[in-house]
Amino acid sequence: VSITNEIDEDFVSKVYKILNSPVEIYNPIGLLIDNNVFSKLTDVEKQFYVLNVVDKYNKIKNEYSLNLKSKIS
């Protein structure tokens, strides 16, 4: 299994769905983790994978927030 920093459209779509949810989402990272991939990883790879998902989530969330602020201004 290859873990990359590439952010695909499906991932972006999932993050936007979470950010636009009418209810508070308390476990966004858990919702973004692909359990089929996660279950095949070693413990070290799992840590790296989770940190990678967190990093990508934060990048998209920050861009989303900046776009939202620019639309309000």
Side-chain angles (χ1 to χ4, degrees), residues 23-70:
V23 295
E24 185 86 27
I25 304 288
Y26 294 102
N27 63 339
I29 304 308
L31 296 175
L32 294 168
I33 287 175
D34 183 336
N35 288 314
N36 291 327
V37 172
F38 192 76
S39 65
K40 296 174 185 166
L41 301 174
T42 67
D43 287 343
V44 172
E45 290 171 330
K46 285 177 181 177
Q47 290 176 8
F48 181 75
Y49 178 74
V50 170
L51 292 174
N52 185 268
V53 169
V54 169
D55 185 50
K56 291 192 282 190
Y57 171 77
N58 284 330
K59 284 178 184 174
I60 296 167
K61 184 179 173 188
N62 288 337
E63 288 174 15
Y64 177 86
S65 296
L66 288 174
N67 287 337
L68 204 59
K69 286 178 185 175
S70 69

